[in-house]
Amino acid sequence: MSDKYLKFANSFVGKQIAPKLGLPQPPVLKRYVPGQKAVDGAVLVGAADGGRLAPAIAAVLKSAEAEVWTAEGPLRDAAGAVDLTPKIYSAETAGDQRFQALVFDATGIAHPDELKALRAFFQPVARKLRPSGRLIVLGTPPESLTAGGRVSQRALEGFTRSAGKELGKGATSNLVYVAEGAEDQLESTLRFFLSPKSAFVSGQVVRIGVGAPPTATPELDWDKPLAGKVALVTGASRGIGEAIAETLARDGAHVVGLDIEPLAADLKKVTDRIGGSAITLDVTAEDAPDQLAKQLKNDHGGVDVVVHNAGITRDKRLANMKPETWDQVIAVNLIAPDRITLALLKGKVLNRGGRIIGVSSIAGIAGNNGQTNYATSKAGVIGLIDAFSADVAAAGGTINAVAPGFIETQMTAQVPFGIREAGRRLSSLGQGGLPVDVAETIAWYASPGSGAVNGNVVRVCGQGLIGA
Ligand code: NAP
């Protein structure tokens, strides 16, 4: 399904007419093109006094070969040596300079009065962010702190979410909490949020912990982070699943696509195109978890990445909900991922450092009219992440979920016109996302560099108002 209004609003005629009629002007979002640098443009870095992340930020920006600006002088490594010599920012030196990203280390903020450092850094440069730019605030998980630190770090959420609603022109705003001791685990996440791969992720809060062992290595090939890995994607024959399969294959994985028998031909087209393998199986079949575990072990020696994408909707208002309508949705969306995860863990089919990724939905966070069954199943997926995160971490892996908002697929093409338009426009980015936006977020979780990203649920929704 394509968004015809988005195309019109960005045409020569549309650009003249839309503002005059007071119509929405959704921007064309910049998306990742293979081979592109992680940050395509200058990055302005700032920090509140006492922040602890400057060396980690400098290391990432150096590795990403970014053009760095700061008002603070040279950025130093953990040993205090100069690691990166940025351009020095001041109102005079910057002139007409525009920034692709504004990155602020807020970890030093220990009292609400010090939150003014946010305004002091961002206010003068808020208009200097390029279209599809990035605002990123880095903090400390509030739950690890007490008193003023806890209060202030929690307050960062309100700032980043509001900024996301104000920025416009396709720019995004996100908050990353980095646990103390996890500074060297920042790279995969900061690269993702700086890059066009996070085009449709805004207003989100992500936690980088210390629970999982450090799996990021300096040798990680950021263009092919999944080289040598095997990735299972359920529901891979079309829509979001197809995009996930393609994106994980682009990142170097051998993808095992799974779908039901009637979609075998479509599935084969996808897996042939990306050099993967196909399994036709109904994930709700009684013996599906065992069969899948056996096949992954025998044919591939195990699995490194599991994406529980297969999902269905069977919408009915509660008063009209038949038992089978309820059961089908819970069976595909929740019971199957639960049973398969258990079987892969028990049978040690998930390799060490493995990644499990659930596909929830904003309906599972906010609820939705006519979707008590679907929203229950998708909230359950979030429960599944919580329930398994300790066990998966103990096996050296991670488990996380994405919660897509309005994504342009066959599923949303069936939504009535008025609701579809509301779903698209009532968001900070003024449009629906593309399947690739969900896939890129999953690829970030799947990366070997994301070993400390565990138990997160990130909405891929363009900061949609529905579900906010
Ligand atoms: P889709 O186009 O319907 O694709 C889902 C795939 O899963 C289909 O190929 C489907 O086959 C397959 N599947 C269904 N039941 C299965 C079973 N028992 N065993 C194996 N495969 C099965 O849906 P989509 O829009 O890409 O959505 C993908 C995921 O994202 C779903 O979990 C969905 O709930 C979630 N999501 C989507 C959106 C959105 O805006 N599109 C928003 C939030 C969340 P069938 O032909 O049988 O259906």
Side-chain angles (χ1 to χ4, degrees):
M1 185 77 196
S2 73
D3 182 348
K4 293 201 177 80
Y5 179 74
L6 177 78
K7 282 187 192 144
F8 165 73
N10 285 284
S11 67
F12 178 76
V13 177
K15 278 186 180 159
Q16 319 296 314
I17 294 178
K20 286 194 184 119
L21 296 180
L23 294 170
Q25 294 169 270
V28 173
L29 303 181
K30 283 191 196 140
R31 291 192 168 82
Y32 177 72
V33 179
Q36 200 176 346
K37 281 173 68 172
V39 207
D40 185 16
V43 182
L44 179 66
V45 178
D49 288 346
R52 67 187 156 83
L53 292 174
I57 295 169
V60 175
L61 294 177
K62 189 175 169 186
S63 139
E65 298 175 359
E67 177 191 330
V68 183
W69 289 66
T70 180
E72 320 281 323
L75 292 170
R76 295 174 187 280
D77 66 16
V82 174
D83 196 31
L84 201 148
T85 309
K87 297 190 175 168
I88 297 303
Y89 176 83
S90 72
E92 294 77 43
T93 55
D96 289 337
Q97 176 70 35
R98 292 285 177 274
F99 295 99
Q100 179 56 30
L102 307 172
V103 177
F104 188 74
D105 173 9
T107 55
I109 298 178
H111 186 277
D113 189 44
E114 294 162 15
L115 287 163
K116 60 164 81 88
L118 292 166
R119 198 210 66 84
F121 174 72
F122 286 109
Q123 186 276 329
V125 290
R127 291 209 175 89
K128 288 183 174 285
L129 199 57
R130 285 168 43 178
S132 285
R134 302 283 181 264
L135 184 157
I136 302 168
V137 174
L138 301 158
T140 301
E143 59 277 12
S144 67
L145 300 169
T146 53
R150 185 168 191 148
V151 173
S152 318
Q153 293 297 314
R154 180 62 180 78
L156 301 176
E157 271 196 45
F159 178 83
T160 44
R161 290 193 206 275
S162 294
K165 293 185 176 182
E166 287 185 13
L167 291 172
K169 294 188 180 159
T172 65
S173 170
N174 291 288
L175 170 62
V176 180
Y177 284 130
V178 184
E180 289 189 44
E183 293 79 10
D184 60 349
Q185 296 295 305
L186 183 61
E187 182 152 16
S188 158
T189 300
L190 189 52
R191 274 177 176 263
F192 173 69
F193 280 106
L194 284 169
S195 84
K197 293 179 177 177
S198 57
F200 202 60
V201 182
S202 193
Q204 298 307 292
V205 181
V206 167
R207 282 173 166 72
I208 302 178
V210 281
T215 47
T217 61
E219 309 87 55
L220 188 64
D221 176 352
W222 293 101
D223 288 330
K224 292 269 176 222
L226 298 177
K229 306 282 183 193
V230 174
L232 170 73
V233 180
T234 69
S237 69
R238 64 164 195 243
I240 295 174
E242 180 180 0
I244 298 167
E246 281 172 347
T247 304
L248 299 184
R250 177 204 68 193
D251 282 358
H254 176 88
V255 174
V256 181
L258 179 151
D259 220 306
I260 47 171
E261 181 60 38
L263 293 172
D266 290 346
L267 177 66
K268 190 167 176 320
K269 264 190 217 153
V270 174
T271 51
D272 281 356
R273 198 169 64 232
I274 60 175
S277 322
I279 297 180
T280 44
L281 186 71
D282 182 340
V283 290
T284 65
E286 188 52 39
D287 63 347
D290 288 344
Q291 213 183 308
L292 195 52
K294 209 183 282 173
Q295 205 163 335
L296 288 169
K297 194 82 190 170
N298 291 345
D299 296 353
H300 304 283
V303 66
D304 301 289
V305 179
V306 176
V307 187
H308 294 297
N309 165 75
I312 59 169
T313 50
R314 298 286 183 271
D315 297 357
K316 279 281 172 228
R317 303 288 289 274
L318 187 53
N320 301 321
M321 181 78 67
K322 296 208 164 62
E324 59 273 23
T325 313
W326 177 274
D327 291 346
Q328 282 168 0
V329 170
I330 303 288
V332 177
N333 297 1
L334 181 56
I335 297 176
D338 189 20
R339 292 182 67 223
I340 291 170
T341 301
L342 205 57
L344 297 180
L345 287 176
K346 267 190 164 174
K348 299 204 182 328
V349 181
L350 184 73
N351 295 330
R352 193 147 183 90
R355 305 276 184 266
I356 298 176
I357 298 140
V359 178
S360 177
S361 163
I362 52 165
I365 295 170
N368 207 8
N369 191 343
Q371 290 198 317
T372 50
N373 52 355
Y374 184 73
T376 301
S377 73
K378 293 299 187 180
V381 169
I382 297 172
L384 200 137
I385 305 310
D386 293 343
F388 279 107
S389 65
D391 284 351
V392 178
T398 68
I399 180 165
N400 295 282
V402 287
F406 186 98
I407 305 294
E408 304 283 353
T409 63
Q410 280 190 25
M411 200 185 245
T412 46
Q414 277 145 34
V415 174
F417 175 79
I419 300 175
R420 197 184 328 137
E421 269 310 286
R424 283 172 172 152
R425 305 299 159 225
L426 293 179
S427 67
S428 297
L429 297 176
Q431 58 199 285
L434 300 180
V436 71
D437 297 323
V438 181
E440 296 286 15
T441 309
I442 287 174
W444 155 57
Y445 283 145
S447 168
S450 301
V453 180
N454 190 29
N456 283 265
V457 178
V458 166
R459 286 171 44 167
V460 184
C461 67
Q463 206 178 19
L465 295 185
I466 297 171

